[in-house]
């Protein structure tokens, strides 16, 4: 017996409703667990004041950015005039408080190195939604890195990473790396989008690396990112 159209539509809709939960479950991917490196002191961050007490303290610190307690899941650090991480602090690790609630982190308009990573230390940013370094400037006779200077620097598994309009500026001698200067290991891996735009290394003498500069012993690695762009960077 041939079914009437309304009956066929009803059965088709019911079949879809029954199949939907299984299909949704199959498509769902649980967030990857965030594993903090061993030996790190864990600090939950929902304000700049949670970070600054560690800027000159010894010890490895893992900063867990708590999206649930931040407006629009965003922590913005503006206009610093002294380094957020000094060479006297040990290794720092920034990540989301929980993998199911990613947070965004922005560093803007600083007039000094944001991060000074000494030999044997490391700086890592991982599993954040958006990571932005914008309009930061380091200006001195020998200028190294508009936003980040140092040894082991890793940005991995973030949804997006952007360095925009950062400047390393020298009035006399040399400028290296408009956004990042590294003298050991610089790694950007497994991120979604990565962009370097409008960064500048500027000097009256010699300037190197509008976006990134590594010295002769450095290893700079960009791997497994969904997209990478360099635009308008100048030395």
């Amino acid at each position: 017996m041939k079914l009437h159209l309304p009956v066929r539509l009803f059965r088709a809709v019911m079949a879809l409703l029954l199949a939907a939960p299984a299909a949704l479950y199959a498509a769902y991917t649980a967030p990857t667990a965030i594993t903090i490196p061993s030996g790190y002191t864990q600090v939950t961050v929902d304000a700049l004041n949670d970070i600054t007490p560690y800027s000159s303290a010894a010890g490895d610190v893992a900063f867990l950015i708590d999206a649930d307690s931040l407006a629009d899941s965003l922590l913005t650090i503006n206009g610093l005039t002294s380094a957020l991480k000094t060479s006297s602090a040990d290794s720092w690790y920034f990540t989301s408080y929980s993998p199911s609630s990613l947070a965004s982190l922005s560093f803007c308009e600083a007039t000094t190195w944001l991060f000074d990573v000494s030999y044997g230390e490391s700086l890592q940013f991982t599993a954040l939604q958006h990571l932005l370094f914008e309009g930061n400037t380091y200006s001195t006779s020998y200028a190294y890195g508009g936003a980040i200077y140092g040894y082991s620097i890793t940005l991995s598994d973030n949804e997006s990473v952007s360095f925009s309009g950062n400047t390393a500026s020298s009035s006399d001698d040399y400028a290296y790396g408009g956004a990042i200067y590294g003298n050991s290991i610089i790694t950007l891996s497994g991120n979604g989008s990565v962009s370097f735009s409008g960064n500048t290394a500027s000097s009256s003498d010699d300037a190197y690396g509008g976006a990134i500069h590594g010295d002769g012993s450095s290893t700079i690695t960009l791997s497994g990112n969904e997209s990478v762009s360099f635009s308008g960077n100048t030395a």
Side-chain angles (χ1 to χ4, degrees), residues 78-92:
N78 282 321
L80 291 179
T81 57
S82 58
L84 188 59
K85 181 190 184 305
T86 68
S87 59
S88 58
D90 288 336
S91 296
W92 280 17

Side-chain angles (χ1 to χ4, degrees), residues 17-115:
L17 290 174
L18 291 171
L24 288 173
Y25 181 80
Y28 172 76
T29 302
T32 302
I34 296 170
T35 303
I36 306 299
S38 61
Y40 279 70
T41 299
Q42 297 184 27
V43 177
T44 300
V45 173
D46 54 25
L48 173 61
N49 289 339
D50 296 329
I51 300 173
T52 51
Y54 296 88
S55 62
S56 60
D60 299 330
V61 183
F63 297 100
L64 282 64
I65 313 301
D66 187 359
D68 293 333
S69 63
L70 294 171
D72 301 320
S73 301
L74 176 66
L75 177 62
T76 302
I77 300 173
N78 282 321
L80 291 179
T81 57
S82 58
L84 188 59
K85 181 190 184 305
T86 68
S87 59
S88 58
D90 288 336
S91 296
W92 280 17
Y93 182 96
F94 287 88
T95 189
S96 175
Y97 182 77
S98 99
S100 60
S101 181
L102 298 182
S104 299
L105 183 57
S106 298
F107 301 94
C108 305
E109 306 298 333
T111 56
T112 184
W113 279 330
L114 286 164
F115 299 100

